[in-house]
Structure formats: structure tokens, C-alpha cells
Amino acid sequence: MPFKNKRNIVERIYYKNISLARSISEKKDISPDQIKAARALLGWSQSELAKKSGYSTPAINNIEKGTYEARSQTVSDVIQTFEENNIEFIDNGVRIASENLRIKCYEGEEAFIQLFKKLTRAFEYEDGEILLCGIDEYFLTNNYPSMLKNFQKGINQNPNAKVRILCHRNQSAGLTFKNFEKKIAPNDIPLIPIILYRKRVVSILFDAPAQVIMVYTPTLYQHYVELFNFLWTSSKGLPPSKDTCLFKEK
């Protein structure tokens, strides 16, 4: 393959990383060799990486060989899979992440695409719980109905996922799951719009354009979980008849 074509392939392999020491708009090129090295660090085969990232084994093979121009979204999903498993990409290399704080930010429609994708994948291979607090379900219903329904469907198909929802009554617009509980907090209790899962604190800003800020921080996560549980015990359950499910399995 001509060198020029290989260079174009490498230039398409990138990811957006936001941290305290990096610019929000910074893009970092990731080479096929780094993809292979990241997989080796985790002891994954190409087929395992394909399954975890949601793509075919030939697609992963092509990315690592640099034999075709991979779509940026495909490569972004592969890199995201590594990052969710504590892999950090650095200049011309890769390593196991050691820091206790990682931050990513998404804006507009891309924000909720990434959010729903991460949450759907969060418990494919392990048990766990997703905590939703102060999320305006009407906003999601009116602005991202198809993505919201696909998210509900993905979670409902995952037997490992349990969801607890805490919101004010005027925020509840029928967001339900197969394995979930929902409680309504008193109106005089302020709720921060956040989602908690797998030691991650996800803050949602519903302004235009909407923003999703994802922070990996075990200590802060534990504090928020304790606060969520305190508010949960002081709130009332919502009768099913008062909420209409947006998604129902046939």
C-alpha cells in the first residue's frame, strides 16, 4: 500500500480526551500499533475486542493492519472501549491508567449518543446499578425520543442492569425499565441532574446546546451514591399507574 494511503489511515484514528491538563478541543492521533498494544495489555484477542466494542473481528483486523480507511466513529468506539477498561493512550504509546480522575465532555446530539451508548454497554459483562437523579425525562422525550427508546431497549435486554430513578414529579415522563425502581422526591429538595454508574459521575446540562460531562472519580462517586441513597430513603415510590412506559417489549 502506498505510504500516502497509510498516512491517511493513521490520521483518521484519533480520540478526544479532556482532562485538567489538556485543551477541550484537543485531538490525539492513535496509530494501529497503539490499538494492538492496548489489546495486548488487556490480554484480549481480536474477537474479544470486537465483541466488547460492538464490531466484527474483520473490522478490528483491518484497523490494526491499516489496510482500509476506518470510519472515525468505528475507531472512536474501539478507543472508548479501551478507556472504559482503564487503558490510557499517550504519545506514541499506551499504558494502564493510574490516575484517579478522568474527564470527558460531549455537546449537543453527540452528547446523548455517547451517554446512551456508554450506559447500555456498562453492564454487559458484570452486574451493576445505574442511578438517575434529577433527570428531566420530558426534555429527553421531546428532543431525543428515538435514542431514548433504543437506550431503554438496550438496558431491558441486559439482565445484569438494575436502574433506580429519583426525580421530581414534574420531571417524570414515563422513563421505565424492566428491572427498575422510581421514587419522587419532595419539591423542596433540590436534585442535581446526574447519573451514577461504575465509579463514574455524569453531569447533564440541559441548556442549548446540551452538555454531558463524564467524570471517572471513585471518591466523588461514593459521596454522590451516599447522598442519592439518603434522598432515596426520604422519598416516595411512584405508583405505576401514574407513569406511562415509553418503551414496551412486544
Side-chain angles (χ1 to χ4, degrees), residues 165-184:
I165 303 172
L166 179 65
C167 61
H168 290 140
R169 185 168 292 278
N170 63 358
Q171 295 175 323
S172 181
L175 183 58
T176 62
F177 300 90
K178 180 182 295 184
N179 185 15
F180 91 110
E181 293 180 81
K182 179 182 285 190
K183 284 192 174 184
I184 299 300

Side-chain angles (χ1 to χ4, degrees), residues 81-119:
T81 301
F82 283 127
E83 290 178 336
E84 290 175 347
N85 286 273
N86 210 35
I87 292 295
E88 179 183 13
F89 290 91
I90 58 177
D91 292 341
N92 300 316
V94 63
R95 67 186 179 190
I96 300 292
S98 58
E99 69 273 17
N100 291 321
L101 176 65
R102 297 195 296 273
I103 303 174
K104 281 190 173 292
C105 181
Y106 303 94
E107 186 174 279
E109 183 172 340
E110 177 68 15
F112 290 99
I113 291 176
Q114 293 298 329
L115 172 61
F116 293 148
K117 184 180 296 182
K118 285 176 178 290
L119 290 174

Side-chain angles (χ1 to χ4, degrees), residues 109 116 140-141 143-152:
E109 183 172 340
F116 293 148
L140 298 179
T141 302
N143 292 277
Y144 306 100
S146 60
M147 280 192 287
L148 182 59
K149 289 183 180 180
N150 287 335
F151 166 55
Q152 288 178 281

Side-chain angles (χ1 to χ4, degrees), residues 4-249:
K4 181 178 180 180
N5 289 343
K6 286 188 176 181
R7 180 181 178 184
N8 289 338
I9 293 170
V10 173
E11 289 177 348
R12 285 175 176 266
I13 303 180
Y14 68 88
Y15 77 116
K16 294 180 180 179
N17 184 53
I18 299 174
S19 68
L20 298 179
R22 295 180 181 174
S23 165
I24 288 180
S25 61
E26 179 185 359
K27 292 182 180 179
K28 188 178 182 69
D29 290 332
I30 303 298
S31 71
D33 285 341
Q34 285 174 282
I35 298 292
K36 287 188 285 187
R39 184 168 58 78
L41 273 178
L42 293 173
W44 290 354
S45 64
Q46 286 188 343
S47 61
E48 286 176 306
L49 174 57
K51 181 180 179 181
K52 293 178 185 295
S53 61
Y55 291 95
S56 67
T57 301
I60 300 300
N61 185 49
N62 285 332
I63 289 174
E64 293 189 357
K65 285 184 176 180
T67 55
Y68 84 133
E69 295 189 0
R71 293 189 305 114
S72 60
Q73 185 58 55
T74 304
V75 179
S76 177
D77 288 342
V78 169
I79 293 171
Q80 174 182 302
T81 301
F82 283 127
E83 290 178 336
E84 290 175 347
N85 286 273
N86 210 35
I87 292 295
E88 179 183 13
F89 290 91
I90 58 177
D91 292 341
N92 300 316
V94 63
R95 67 186 179 190
I96 300 292
S98 58
E99 69 273 17
N100 291 321
L101 176 65
R102 297 195 296 273
I103 303 174
K104 281 190 173 292
C105 181
Y106 303 94
E107 186 174 279
E109 183 172 340
E110 177 68 15
F112 290 99
I113 291 176
Q114 293 298 329
L115 172 61
F116 293 148
K117 184 180 296 182
K118 285 176 178 290
L119 290 174
T120 301
R121 291 179 178 174
F123 302 109
E124 287 182 346
Y125 306 102
E126 60 183 270
D127 295 338
E129 188 174 44
I130 302 173
L131 306 179
L132 307 180
C133 178
I135 302 301
D136 190 341
E137 297 172 13
Y138 285 101
F139 176 89
L140 298 179
T141 302
N142 293 331
N143 292 277
Y144 306 100
S146 60
M147 280 192 287
L148 182 59
K149 289 183 180 180
N150 287 335
F151 166 55
Q152 288 178 281
K153 185 175 181 179
I155 294 297
N156 285 347
Q157 292 174 342
N158 183 353
N160 299 317
K162 179 181 178 182
V163 181
R164 279 194 288 158
I165 303 172
L166 179 65
C167 61
H168 290 140
R169 185 168 292 278
N170 63 358
Q171 295 175 323
S172 181
L175 183 58
T176 62
F177 300 90
K178 180 182 295 184
N179 185 15
F180 91 110
E181 293 180 81
K182 179 182 285 190
K183 284 192 174 184
I184 299 300
N187 290 333
D188 59 346
I189 295 180
L191 296 178
I192 302 173
I194 58 173
I195 299 176
L196 306 171
Y197 78 102
R198 288 187 63 186
K199 299 181 181 180
R200 288 160 173 81
V201 177
V202 181
S203 177
I204 301 178
L205 305 178
F206 290 103
D207 300 327
Q211 291 184 322
V212 172
I213 303 170
M214 300 182 176
V215 184
Y216 174 84
T217 168
T219 302
L220 186 60
Y221 167 83
Q222 189 58 42
H223 289 323
Y224 272 116
V225 169
E226 291 174 3
L227 176 59
F228 181 96
N229 287 331
F230 173 78
L231 296 175
W232 181 264
T233 58
S234 61
S235 301
K236 296 181 179 180
L238 182 68
S241 60
K242 299 294 184 181
D243 237 9
T244 303
C245 184
L246 294 174
F247 172 80
K248 294 182 179 180
E249 289 188 305

